[in-house]
Amino acid sequence: MSPLGKLRDAHVKRDLIRTILPKGDEPSYLYAVLVAGDVQLREEKVGGLLGRKSARRIRVPLPKTRTGRGSGADASVAGSRLLSMLGRAVREHRKGALDPSNPDALHRMRLAFKKYRYAREVLEPLLPRAARNGGKRLHDFQTLLGTIHDCDVILAEAASFRRDILGREKECALEIAFRSFREMRFGEFRRTAGTAGGLSRVFGTAVRS
């Protein structure tokens, strides 16, 4: 999964650059070339891994179905407790993540929210009917957090490449464009999760404060 995740990250960077700044100055172009080269290398690596017969080892056997009296109710209670715990972990990072100068806090909130969303998708059959059908809302919020994080990664990499490799102090066109795009998406994040009530609307009724 690690090579696939790194390939996904490389694809995201390449596609964001194509969308936000299809043309730019020389430092922007050189950084884009670097990203494109990284995509090619990671595609070759993943292609080689998937072509091996040993890739069959990633198959995971399904667990045996638990049956018996009361098992459904027990699983529902345990699932609700797990979601409550994961939801609290997300909320713990909310205030720090609202600081635009603290990308690490937003990154931690993003990781916590991913755990919550995927757990909820798995446990959804055990939830009350009122707590279901929130998949699009959760997906959209996770995508928003991911986009902001991707901008932070690109901004940090582009600045390091410009300073350490090219020896230039002035921000390139790519950095300026991505900083503006990040500010726009971060404003959307603050409108959505700026209050505890706003974040609760993202969760729906599955998790209560």
Side-chain angles (χ1 to χ4, degrees), residues 93-114:
H93 299 297
R94 186 184 67 83
K95 289 186 178 180
L98 290 170
D99 180 358
S101 65
N102 191 356
D104 288 341
L106 187 139
H107 178 51
R108 290 191 293 271
M109 181 179 181
R110 182 183 71 89
L111 295 178
F113 188 82
K114 282 177 67 175

mmCIF file of all heavy atoms in Angstrom, residues 93-114:
data_model
loop_
_atom_site.group_PDB
_atom_site.id
_atom_site.type_symbol
_atom_site.label_atom_id
_atom_site.label_comp_id
_atom_site.label_asym_id
_atom_site.label_seq_id
_atom_site.Cartn_x
_atom_site.Cartn_y
_atom_site.Cartn_z
ATOM 1 N N HIS A 93 -8.648 18.278 17.407
ATOM 2 C CA HIS A 93 -7.740 19.013 16.527
ATOM 3 C C HIS A 93 -8.410 20.219 15.863
ATOM 4 O O HIS A 93 -7.724 20.970 15.164
ATOM 5 C CB HIS A 93 -7.204 18.085 15.435
ATOM 6 C CG HIS A 93 -6.417 16.918 15.953
ATOM 7 N ND1 HIS A 93 -5.245 17.072 16.655
ATOM 8 C CD2 HIS A 93 -6.646 15.579 15.885
ATOM 9 C CE1 HIS A 93 -4.774 15.887 16.990
ATOM 10 N NE2 HIS A 93 -5.604 14.967 16.535
ATOM 11 N N ARG A 94 -9.704 20.417 16.087
ATOM 12 C CA ARG A 94 -10.437 21.444 15.334
ATOM 13 C C ARG A 94 -9.883 22.844 15.561
ATOM 14 O O ARG A 94 -9.605 23.576 14.603
ATOM 15 C CB ARG A 94 -11.925 21.399 15.691
ATOM 16 C CG ARG A 94 -12.783 22.351 14.842
ATOM 17 C CD ARG A 94 -14.228 22.326 15.305
ATOM 18 N NE ARG A 94 -14.360 22.891 16.636
ATOM 19 C CZ ARG A 94 -14.455 24.197 16.884
ATOM 20 N NH1 ARG A 94 -14.416 25.063 15.879
ATOM 21 N NH2 ARG A 94 -14.581 24.637 18.108
ATOM 22 N N LYS A 95 -9.717 23.251 16.825
ATOM 23 C CA LYS A 95 -9.281 24.622 17.100
ATOM 24 C C LYS A 95 -7.896 24.894 16.531
ATOM 25 O O LYS A 95 -7.650 25.958 15.946
ATOM 26 C CB LYS A 95 -9.314 24.883 18.605
ATOM 27 C CG LYS A 95 -10.721 24.979 19.171
ATOM 28 C CD LYS A 95 -10.701 25.375 20.645
ATOM 29 C CE LYS A 95 -12.125 25.503 21.184
ATOM 30 N NZ LYS A 95 -12.124 25.879 22.628
ATOM 31 N N GLY A 96 -6.976 23.956 16.692
ATOM 32 C CA GLY A 96 -5.645 24.145 16.131
ATOM 33 C C GLY A 96 -5.662 24.210 14.620
ATOM 34 O O GLY A 96 -4.935 24.994 14.012
ATOM 35 N N ALA A 97 -6.531 23.406 14.009
ATOM 36 C CA ALA A 97 -6.598 23.357 12.541
ATOM 37 C C ALA A 97 -7.162 24.648 11.960
ATOM 38 O O ALA A 97 -6.921 24.955 10.782
ATOM 39 C CB ALA A 97 -7.455 22.172 12.099
ATOM 40 N N LEU A 98 -7.910 25.410 12.748
ATOM 41 C CA LEU A 98 -8.495 26.661 12.263
ATOM 42 C C LEU A 98 -7.464 27.774 12.143
ATOM 43 O O LEU A 98 -7.764 28.836 11.586
ATOM 44 C CB LEU A 98 -9.632 27.103 13.188
ATOM 45 C CG LEU A 98 -10.894 26.238 13.125
ATOM 46 C CD1 LEU A 98 -11.851 26.606 14.254
ATOM 47 C CD2 LEU A 98 -11.583 26.389 11.776
ATOM 48 N N ASP A 99 -6.256 27.543 12.658
ATOM 49 C CA ASP A 99 -5.170 28.511 12.520
ATOM 50 C C ASP A 99 -4.488 28.283 11.177
ATOM 51 O O ASP A 99 -3.864 27.238 10.968
ATOM 52 C CB ASP A 99 -4.170 28.314 13.666
ATOM 53 C CG ASP A 99 -3.000 29.288 13.596
ATOM 54 O OD1 ASP A 99 -2.948 30.097 12.644
ATOM 55 O OD2 ASP A 99 -2.135 29.224 14.487
ATOM 56 N N PRO A 100 -4.591 29.232 10.235
ATOM 57 C CA PRO A 100 -4.018 29.006 8.897
ATOM 58 C C PRO A 100 -2.510 28.839 8.900
ATOM 59 O O PRO A 100 -1.944 28.326 7.932
ATOM 60 C CB PRO A 100 -4.442 30.263 8.119
ATOM 61 C CG PRO A 100 -4.712 31.286 9.170
ATOM 62 C CD PRO A 100 -5.229 30.544 10.357
ATOM 63 N N SER A 101 -1.849 29.271 9.979
ATOM 64 C CA SER A 101 -0.394 29.145 10.057
ATOM 65 C C SER A 101 0.041 27.842 10.720
ATOM 66 O O SER A 101 1.234 27.641 10.979
ATOM 67 C CB SER A 101 0.196 30.326 10.839
ATOM 68 O OG SER A 101 -0.239 30.304 12.191
ATOM 69 N N ASN A 102 -0.922 26.938 10.994
ATOM 70 C CA ASN A 102 -0.614 25.673 11.666
ATOM 71 C C ASN A 102 -1.055 24.494 10.802
ATOM 72 O O ASN A 102 -2.002 23.783 11.133
ATOM 73 C CB ASN A 102 -1.319 25.628 13.024
ATOM 74 C CG ASN A 102 -0.835 24.483 13.895
ATOM 75 O OD1 ASN A 102 -0.014 23.667 13.473
ATOM 76 N ND2 ASN A 102 -1.353 24.395 15.107
ATOM 77 N N PRO A 103 -0.370 24.269 9.679
ATOM 78 C CA PRO A 103 -0.769 23.165 8.792
ATOM 79 C C PRO A 103 -0.635 21.792 9.441
ATOM 80 O O PRO A 103 -1.348 20.862 9.068
ATOM 81 C CB PRO A 103 0.176 23.305 7.598
ATOM 82 C CG PRO A 103 1.352 24.064 8.125
ATOM 83 C CD PRO A 103 0.802 24.995 9.166
ATOM 84 N N ASP A 104 0.245 21.656 10.442
ATOM 85 C CA ASP A 104 0.408 20.353 11.099
ATOM 86 C C ASP A 104 -0.866 19.954 11.837
ATOM 87 O O ASP A 104 -1.252 18.777 11.841
ATOM 88 C CB ASP A 104 1.569 20.395 12.079
ATOM 89 C CG ASP A 104 2.921 20.440 11.380
ATOM 90 O OD1 ASP A 104 2.974 20.073 10.190
ATOM 91 O OD2 ASP A 104 3.910 20.838 12.016
ATOM 92 N N ALA A 105 -1.524 20.931 12.479
ATOM 93 C CA ALA A 105 -2.770 20.632 13.195
ATOM 94 C C ALA A 105 -3.856 20.202 12.217
ATOM 95 O O ALA A 105 -4.623 19.269 12.486
ATOM 96 C CB ALA A 105 -3.229 21.846 13.997
ATOM 97 N N LEU A 106 -3.927 20.868 11.070
ATOM 98 C CA LEU A 106 -4.926 20.478 10.073
ATOM 99 C C LEU A 106 -4.620 19.095 9.518
ATOM 100 O O LEU A 106 -5.533 18.303 9.267
ATOM 101 C CB LEU A 106 -4.982 21.510 8.949
ATOM 102 C CG LEU A 106 -6.113 21.300 7.939
ATOM 103 C CD1 LEU A 106 -6.747 22.650 7.566
ATOM 104 C CD2 LEU A 106 -5.599 20.622 6.675
ATOM 105 N N HIS A 107 -3.340 18.788 9.356
ATOM 106 C CA HIS A 107 -2.942 17.465 8.876
ATOM 107 C C HIS A 107 -3.366 16.381 9.869
ATOM 108 O O HIS A 107 -3.887 15.323 9.481
ATOM 109 C CB HIS A 107 -1.432 17.428 8.662
ATOM 110 C CG HIS A 107 -0.900 16.107 8.216
ATOM 111 N ND1 HIS A 107 -1.416 15.411 7.139
ATOM 112 C CD2 HIS A 107 0.109 15.330 8.715
ATOM 113 C CE1 HIS A 107 -0.751 14.280 6.982
ATOM 114 N NE2 HIS A 107 0.159 14.205 7.925
ATOM 115 N N ARG A 108 -3.172 16.647 11.164
ATOM 116 C CA ARG A 108 -3.574 15.676 12.177
ATOM 117 C C ARG A 108 -5.096 15.508 12.207
ATOM 118 O O ARG A 108 -5.604 14.389 12.387
ATOM 119 C CB ARG A 108 -3.056 16.104 13.560
ATOM 120 C CG ARG A 108 -1.541 15.980 13.711
ATOM 121 C CD ARG A 108 -1.114 16.152 15.148
ATOM 122 N NE ARG A 108 -1.349 17.510 15.625
ATOM 123 C CZ ARG A 108 -0.469 18.497 15.523
ATOM 124 N NH1 ARG A 108 0.704 18.290 14.944
ATOM 125 N NH2 ARG A 108 -0.745 19.693 16.008
ATOM 126 N N MET A 109 -5.812 16.602 12.006
ATOM 127 C CA MET A 109 -7.271 16.513 11.950
ATOM 128 C C MET A 109 -7.703 15.697 10.735
ATOM 129 O O MET A 109 -8.638 14.890 10.799
ATOM 130 C CB MET A 109 -7.885 17.909 11.885
ATOM 131 C CG MET A 109 -9.411 17.906 11.848
ATOM 132 S SD MET A 109 -10.086 19.581 11.801
ATOM 133 C CE MET A 109 -11.856 19.207 11.785
ATOM 134 N N ARG A 110 -7.020 15.891 9.614
ATOM 135 C CA ARG A 110 -7.336 15.141 8.398
ATOM 136 C C ARG A 110 -7.151 13.649 8.606
ATOM 137 O O ARG A 110 -7.998 12.844 8.211
ATOM 138 C CB ARG A 110 -6.442 15.631 7.251
ATOM 139 C CG ARG A 110 -6.704 14.956 5.914
ATOM 140 C CD ARG A 110 -5.721 15.456 4.871
ATOM 141 N NE ARG A 110 -4.385 14.966 5.117
ATOM 142 C CZ ARG A 110 -3.898 13.822 4.635
ATOM 143 N NH1 ARG A 110 -4.673 13.043 3.888
ATOM 144 N NH2 ARG A 110 -2.661 13.457 4.888
ATOM 145 N N LEU A 111 -6.040 13.265 9.236
ATOM 146 C CA LEU A 111 -5.792 11.848 9.486
ATOM 147 C C LEU A 111 -6.838 11.261 10.436
ATOM 148 O O LEU A 111 -7.314 10.136 10.236
ATOM 149 C CB LEU A 111 -4.387 11.659 10.067
ATOM 150 C CG LEU A 111 -3.218 12.032 9.141
ATOM 151 C CD1 LEU A 111 -1.895 11.847 9.868
ATOM 152 C CD2 LEU A 111 -3.251 11.201 7.867
ATOM 153 N N ALA A 112 -7.203 12.020 11.466
ATOM 154 C CA ALA A 112 -8.220 11.544 12.403
ATOM 155 C C ALA A 112 -9.574 11.411 11.716
ATOM 156 O O ALA A 112 -10.324 10.457 11.964
ATOM 157 C CB ALA A 112 -8.327 12.503 13.591
ATOM 158 N N PHE A 113 -9.885 12.345 10.829
ATOM 159 C CA PHE A 113 -11.175 12.288 10.136
ATOM 160 C C PHE A 113 -11.223 11.116 9.168
ATOM 161 O O PHE A 113 -12.276 10.495 8.984
ATOM 162 C CB PHE A 113 -11.442 13.598 9.390
ATOM 163 C CG PHE A 113 -12.829 13.690 8.825
ATOM 164 C CD1 PHE A 113 -13.884 14.074 9.626
ATOM 165 C CD2 PHE A 113 -13.087 13.365 7.499
ATOM 166 C CE1 PHE A 113 -15.173 14.138 9.122
ATOM 167 C CE2 PHE A 113 -14.368 13.434 6.987
ATOM 168 C CZ PHE A 113 -15.416 13.824 7.801
ATOM 169 N N LYS A 114 -10.107 10.795 8.528
ATOM 170 C CA LYS A 114 -10.066 9.638 7.637
ATOM 171 C C LYS A 114 -10.424 8.364 8.396
ATOM 172 O O LYS A 114 -11.197 7.538 7.913
ATOM 173 C CB LYS A 114 -8.671 9.497 7.015
ATOM 174 C CG LYS A 114 -8.382 10.438 5.861
ATOM 175 C CD LYS A 114 -6.962 10.276 5.358
ATOM 176 C CE LYS A 114 -6.754 8.924 4.724
ATOM 177 N NZ LYS A 114 -5.390 8.814 4.131
#
